[in-house]
Amino acid sequence: SQTIHQWPATLVQPVGSPLSLECTVEGTSNPNLYWYRQAAGRGLQLLFYSVGIGQISSEVPQNLSASRPQDRQFILSSKKLLLSDSGFYLCAWSEGLSRQADEQYFGPGTRLTVT
Amino acid sequence: AQSVSQHNHHVILSEAASLELGCNYSYGGTVNLFWYVQYPGQHLQLLLKYFSGDPLVKGIKGFEAEFIKSKFSFNLRKPSVQWSDTAEYFCAVMTNSGYALNFGKGTSLLVTP
């Protein structure tokens, strides 16, 4: 069966420090991968998605970047964190090779607090 | 602006009460609709989904939702809730033009014994 892992589970970082959040998926090949963020009092917002290795699409302009160095690995990064980067970050995957209306499977999330 | 609205942010019900959570969206064109649930301490998981066909869809654990195209709505219902239904519920919309699931802000449901 497929599983999705995220780490760390929680993170407290000072403003201006770098960030690296990792997501890995097991039990599937060529998945579509997604990074979402939930800021306080707001719904989940898609930040990035990837349909293949090295292919990253950004949905909103921001201080963050994403990379996909391996088929089942998705990394969310920042060179310098801002206070507004605080939030709950969720990684998700869906079956690749088919774009429409696929169920997305979510990881446990990372709670990031920027101080 | 395109959006997904969930009308109730916090709902408290007694066991055996009926549940209806509202969801409206403002996207035009063809949409695919989802309800996700997050139980305490667990991952976000799919409750049910609508792609096409019968507008009344049934999901897990006795939940159902009705797609009313003319009202841009996809309300979630359950005739009799249980204490184990205590969770956060999210409505989400996906258009045919993108990959994103566009979520509402969520509704926190507390079911009291």
Side-chain angles (χ1 to χ4, degrees):
Chain A
S1 64
Q2 301 91 353
T3 55
I4 178 169
H5 304 279
Q6 283 186 248
W7 62 91
T10 59
L11 190 60
V12 180
Q13 292 283 94
V15 168
S17 64
L19 172 74
S20 181
L21 302 182
E22 189 165 342
C23 170
T24 59
V25 181
E26 296 176 355
T28 187
S29 297
N30 304 312
N32 294 334
L33 297 172
Y34 310 83
W35 278 112
Y36 287 86
R37 175 173 63 194
Q38 184 176 29
R42 304 177 71 175
L44 283 161
Q45 181 184 37
L46 181 67
L47 303 175
F48 301 95
Y49 68 89
S50 171
V51 299
I53 296 174
Q55 299 180 59
I56 308 295
S57 296
S58 174
E59 287 289 300
V60 293
Q62 59 212 313
N63 183 44
L64 303 168
S65 61
S67 61
R68 185 171 176 173
Q70 300 180 45
D71 181 43
R72 290 167 289 179
Q73 184 185 31
F74 205 25
I75 297 172
L76 184 69
S77 305
S78 174
K79 292 182 179 179
K80 288 185 178 181
L81 283 169
L82 306 172
L83 284 175
S84 57
D85 292 325
S86 293
F88 190 57
Y89 289 82
L90 281 170
C91 181
W93 72 274
S94 66
E95 295 288 349
L97 304 179
S98 173
R99 194 187 77 174
Q100 301 305 328
D102 287 327
E103 175 179 354
Q104 293 181 15
Y105 303 89
F106 287 83
T110 294
R111 176 78 59 190
L112 172 66
T113 303
V114 182
T115 60
Chain B
Q2 297 176 325
S3 65
V4 180
S5 299
Q6 292 183 239
H7 314 299
N8 315 99
H9 297 299
H10 299 281
V11 174
I12 301 175
L13 294 173
S14 299
E15 276 192 317
S18 64
L19 170 72
E20 181 160 3
L21 300 182
C23 173
N24 285 88
Y25 62 92
S26 61
Y27 298 88
T30 302
V31 294
N32 302 300
L33 302 161
F34 305 79
W35 275 97
Y36 277 82
V37 60
Q38 188 167 27
Y39 298 103
Q42 297 188 26
H43 299 195
L44 200 63
Q45 59 185 281
L46 185 70
L47 201 54
L48 49 78
K49 59 188 176 184
Y50 172 80
F51 296 165
S52 62
D54 188 345
L56 184 64
V57 293
K58 296 190 183 298
I60 60 172
K61 302 185 180 183
F63 286 89
E64 64 178 31
E66 184 175 12
F67 170 50
I68 303 179
K69 189 174 181 179
S70 60
K71 295 185 177 180
F72 296 88
S73 70
F74 190 55
N75 291 355
L76 181 70
R77 300 194 292 250
K78 186 171 183 178
S80 176
V81 294
Q82 301 173 315
W83 175 81
S84 58
D85 293 325
T86 293
E88 189 95 15
Y89 292 82
F90 296 90
C91 180
V93 175
M94 180 184 284
T95 67
N96 278 348
S97 61
Y99 288 82
L101 274 173
N102 301 285
F103 283 87
K105 293 183 181 181
T107 296
S108 177
L109 172 65
L110 174 63
V111 180
T112 59

